Amino acid sequence: MADDFLRIDNLVKSFGGNTVVKGANLAFSKGEFVTLLGPSGCGKTTILRMIAGFERPTSGTILVEGKDISPLPPNQRQIGMVFQAYALFPNMNVEDNVGFGLRIAGMPKAERRARVDEMLKLIGLSGYGKRFPFEMSGGQQQRVALARALAPKPRMLLLDEPLSALDAKIRVSLRQEIRAIQRDLGITTIFVTHDQEEALSISDRIVVMSAGNIEQVGTPFEIYNKPATRFVATFVGQLNTLSARVDDPARRAVSIDGQPVVVPSLPAGARAGDTVSLTMRPEAVQLANGAARDIVLDGTVADVSFLGSVIRLKVDLGQGNAVHVDTFNDQRTPPPGRAAPVQVTLAGSDILVLGD
Amino acid sequence: MKRGKPWAWIVFLLGAAYFLLPLIATVQFSLSIRRGTLSLDAYTNVLNSPQFQETFVFSLVVAVATIIVGLLLVVPAAYFVRLRAPQLRPIIEFVTLLPLIIPPIILVFGYIRMYNSSSILPLTNSTLGTNVLLTLAYVALALPYMYRAVDTGLRTIDVQTLTEAANILGANTPTILIRVIFPNIIVAALSGAFLTLAIVIGEFTIASLLNRPAFGVYMQNIGANRAFEPAALAVISFVITWAAMGMIQLLARFAPRTAPLTD
Ligand SMILES: Nc1ncnc2c1ncn2[C@@H]1O[C@H](COP(=O)(O)OP(=O)(O)O)[C@@H](O)[C@H]1O
Ligand SMILES: [Mg+2]
């Protein structure tokens, strides 16, 4: 598309004989917040570092506003970057850290001071200008790093697991702060994380990666509800996997732990006697409440976890299959106890059909 | 614990005596220039001698030049090895150790052969040229200490991430070295600098063979011709060396603190 702000075509990166990015194709619109999500070692940082210019692609191109940026060294790319390890300059106070890029660009002192003050206000650290990095908490340091990256008004912002060194509480508040600032400035942002919850909560779109491949690109809603592959389904959110025996492929009749049910679809070529796996989200499964549903299975409660607003039950289906059931907490109805016999139900349409 | 203590003290006192007795004897001797009474005359003689002042200033200037040239050479080298070619570190470390293995006498004969008046680069033809050669020789002598000091400093910071952070903010390599890397290793670099100072102030072999009016050469001459003044000189140079070491200790307290606080 002509209006893509950033476009990555067939990007490949090998270290020695080891290919760690295997042909990435991505397009980002201006002002978009996109997250690269995947387990450690899948190549997220490598993609980010190629965009920043710290690594040279083995092949493929990176276009910003239609122009190939590969001839530009990192210091001419006008990109802001935030690192996991903060990377503040230890010899400089907050003011000088935030003003570093402006000083390099030759901005006059008075103007620079005004911009630094503006940035400190943006991150809620006005009055901290004279502090040194070692005098600040991790969360504060990372906010300074964000201000430092944004001060020279970069064309885009890259964040490489900026929150993973922080405490859980601060992680959540800072990610919302980052998202609010990003919306405010309308800056195109690529955020890297291995934390699916983080990715789901702040992104416009998510790029799910595995072992150097892009598995799926989509909004958090699409990624969670319509995972394209088994990897995406298992990596993002919780997943129930039940193994079922095919009884009659023509009628799509299967049995789960000896209990006959009819499913909406079966893998192509499934024959009677084959074993197939059926997957669904825990919140798609419910305890029977009298309402008619497609699939009803008998089981016994094996475990009850109270998670606050949600209660997660583990229900054994009799012959080895177990299903997790998420129900909303209701203060008038306590959950069934362990070993209680229950019926679980789900709609056929909630069964995810996954490619591999 | 209690049983071990007397022994520890005895060993400590023996060790202290081994170091201190010669020192005390030298100090006492240096004060005995007048029969039957202690005086500082040997020190006044030395300090008032124009030769002392000239050679000391000469060696000090050479030391400062050595430190500057050494840092200009070692800081970028150690930085690039850490950043771009960490696999070369053992080799570089070995090379920087060579001056400790090769005696200065061999080094200086090599230099004289390489740079004599009939060579392509006849440094020994002029006083300035010889001084340059002397400085470069001292840079080589100081290399093991300088490299290690700087490398230790680099180890305390995250060289790669700081470099990348500065780079993406628009800084080029010289700016990164001057504004980001050097200020963070300056304390470590200064400890190398003071060691270099101590070495250069006392060096004799190379200065003598290059026929330069260095402090070490002067000390040697005095030692051969006078009785009490050499002792006074020894005490003075001892004090200078220890002052340099003391400065290293003092500076260590001002090392930048890089450890982030946790939330
Ligand atoms: N400079 C490098 N040299 C060799 N291998 C590397 C280098 N950088 C990264 N890798 C390898 O590339 C793979 C992907 O790394 P990375 O992009 O850092 O993953 P992620 O950020 O997703 O955790 C890893 O297996 C890593 O070991
Ligand atoms: Mg990474």
Side-chain angles (χ1 to χ4, degrees):
Chain A
M1 277 190 298
D3 60 341
D4 289 334
F5 177 73
L6 169 66
R7 231 182 89 166
I8 291 173
D9 286 327
N10 293 316
L11 193 64
V12 173
K13 179 69 190 178
S14 307
F15 292 106
N18 181 17
T19 305
V20 301
V21 176
K22 302 168 182 167
N25 290 290
L26 291 168
F28 304 77
S29 323
K30 201 169 172 64
E32 213 180 2
F33 191 114
V34 179
T35 297
L36 304 186
L37 172 67
S40 173
C42 71
K44 309 178 296 288
T45 297
T46 304
I47 290 187
L48 218 58
R49 291 172 58 80
M50 285 191 279
I51 298 172
F54 297 137
E55 302 283 0
R56 190 176 288 277
T58 305
S59 66
T61 51
I62 301 171
L63 305 170
V64 177
E65 292 175 314
K67 278 204 207 78
D68 186 356
I69 56 171
S70 59
L72 298 178
N75 58 346
Q76 285 167 28
R77 291 196 179 190
Q78 294 173 278
I79 288 175
M81 186 153 179
V82 175
F83 301 82
Q84 178 179 345
Y86 321 137
L88 295 180
F89 306 128
N91 58 310
M92 298 179 203
N93 63 22
V94 166
E95 235 169 57
D96 292 342
N97 263 288
V98 175
F100 185 84
L102 307 173
R103 189 166 164 181
I104 298 292
M107 183 185 275
K109 199 168 176 184
E111 212 177 315
R112 199 163 77 213
R113 166 153 296 171
R115 178 80 180 145
V116 168
D117 285 346
E118 184 191 339
M119 294 317 296
L120 290 183
K121 201 166 152 210
L122 186 71
I123 57 162
L125 287 178
S126 296
Y128 283 71
K130 299 292 181 210
R131 296 250 190 132
F132 277 85
F134 70 85
E135 298 172 307
M136 310 183 83
S137 71
Q140 289 171 331
Q141 290 190 56
Q142 198 56 300
R143 279 191 281 169
V144 173
L146 179 67
R148 181 179 67 176
L150 291 172
K153 302 194 173 157
R155 295 194 284 184
M156 69 180 113
L157 180 64
L158 310 178
L159 304 115
D160 191 0
E161 311 225 8
L163 307 173
S164 52
L166 302 173
D167 276 2
K169 263 233 167 77
I170 289 165
R171 207 149 63 212
V172 171
S173 65
L174 190 50
R175 81 185 182 207
Q176 270 142 9
E177 212 173 315
I178 289 174
R179 178 59 157 144
I181 289 171
Q182 182 271 339
R183 275 217 181 91
D184 236 32
L185 303 177
I187 184 168
T188 312
T189 299
I190 306 179
F191 184 98
V192 162
T193 183
H194 62 262
D195 180 337
Q196 46 101 12
E197 190 217 326
E198 202 166 276
L200 291 171
S201 69
I202 55 174
S203 318
D204 287 323
R205 282 194 304 152
I206 297 174
V207 177
V208 185
M209 294 181 60
S210 154
N213 293 306
I214 291 178
E215 296 272 327
Q216 188 176 3
V217 182
T219 63
F221 188 84
E222 289 163 356
I223 296 282
Y224 187 85
N225 292 309
K226 297 257 178 313
T229 64
R230 175 166 304 276
F231 175 82
V232 176
T234 47
F235 191 73
V236 180
Q238 294 280 326
L239 198 67
N240 283 311
T241 302
L242 302 179
S243 72
R245 210 175 47 102
V246 179
D247 294 331
D248 180 356
R251 286 195 307 116
R252 302 182 313 279
V254 302
S255 43
I256 301 169
D257 285 8
Q259 307 182 45
V261 295
V262 173
V263 293
S265 73
L266 279 175
R271 286 175 313 207
D274 284 357
T275 304
V276 295
S277 36
L278 309 174
T279 53
M280 72 239 37
R281 298 286 184 200
E283 65 270 25
V285 189
Q286 292 174 356
L287 293 179
N289 58 2
R293 300 198 74 187
D294 305 345
I295 295 169
V296 181
L297 296 164
D298 289 314
T300 49
V301 176
D303 201 6
V304 183
S305 326
F306 190 79
L307 306 176
S309 58
V310 167
I311 297 166
R312 176 163 296 167
L313 305 174
K314 185 180 176 202
V315 176
D316 279 342
L317 297 180
Q319 295 171 18
N321 273 314
V323 63
H324 287 102
V325 182
D326 278 358
T327 58
F328 279 113
N329 174 40
D330 173 357
Q331 50 178 320
R332 286 170 300 273
T333 324
R338 268 173 55 93
V342 289
Q343 275 193 327
V344 297
T345 68
L346 70 151
S349 58
D350 283 329
I351 294 177
L352 302 170
V353 182
L354 300 173
D356 276 312
Chain B
M1 280 301 283
K2 275 210 168 145
R3 285 190 138 198
K5 261 196 174 162
W7 280 110
W9 275 106
I10 288 167
V11 170
F12 173 74
L13 288 177
L14 277 175
Y18 182 79
F19 283 109
L20 288 178
L21 283 181
L23 192 63
I24 291 166
T26 308
V27 170
Q28 205 217 352
F29 186 69
S30 74
L31 297 174
S32 323
I33 193 166
R34 291 188 198 203
R35 203 174 296 269
T37 159
L38 295 181
S39 81
L40 290 170
D41 285 4
Y43 290 88
T44 352
N45 289 350
V46 166
L47 293 175
N48 283 336
S49 134
Q51 254 191 321
F52 168 86
Q53 293 164 5
E54 278 161 25
T55 57
F56 188 75
V57 168
F58 177 84
S59 284
L60 206 58
V61 170
V62 173
V64 169
T66 303
I67 288 164
I68 291 171
V69 175
L71 285 177
L72 285 177
L73 191 72
V74 166
V75 173
Y79 170 73
F80 282 115
V81 168
R82 271 203 173 259
L83 194 63
R84 302 267 163 77
Q87 71 278 9
L88 287 184
R89 257 187 78 211
I91 298 169
I92 301 282
E93 260 181 32
F94 177 73
V95 169
T96 62
L97 280 178
L98 285 179
L100 289 184
I101 302 164
I102 302 169
I105 185 85
I106 292 179
L107 202 64
V108 69
F109 271 119
Y111 282 141
I112 291 172
R113 276 193 70 96
M114 288 280 293
Y115 302 109
N116 65 23
S117 45
S118 53
S119 70
I120 303 169
L121 189 61
L123 282 177
T124 55
N125 264 1
S126 65
T127 311
L128 180 67
T130 315
N131 287 344
V132 168
L133 189 56
L134 182 69
T135 305
L136 294 181
Y138 286 163
V139 169
L141 278 195
L143 211 54
Y145 312 100
M146 207 65 134
Y147 182 83
R148 254 156 211 75
V150 168
D151 199 49
T152 305
L154 289 173
R155 195 176 312 150
T156 62
I157 58 175
D158 183 346
V159 173
Q160 188 187 343
T161 315
L162 289 180
T163 298
E164 288 176 355
N167 196 209
I168 199 81
L169 284 165
N172 56 20
T173 303
T175 310
I176 294 170
L177 268 170
I178 295 165
R179 293 251 175 89
V180 178
I181 301 300
F182 192 66
N184 284 304
I185 60 162
I186 192 158
V187 170
L190 280 176
S191 79
F194 281 109
L195 267 173
T196 305
L197 181 73
I199 293 166
V200 171
I201 292 285
E203 205 283 333
F204 167 75
T205 316
I206 297 177
S208 162
L209 282 166
L210 288 177
N211 197 22
R212 299 315 303 141
F215 188 60
V217 179
Y218 165 73
M219 281 205 292
Q220 180 71 15
N221 284 339
I222 290 284
N225 301 322
R226 302 279 192 95
F228 297 96
E229 283 81 355
L233 256 180
V235 172
I236 290 171
S237 69
F238 181 82
V239 168
I240 292 170
T241 308
W242 277 86
M245 298 301 146
M247 286 303 290
I248 295 172
Q249 292 300 316
L250 196 68
L251 282 168
R253 297 194 188 176
F254 295 103
R257 279 169 280 179
T258 52
L261 301 177
T262 45
D263 272 307

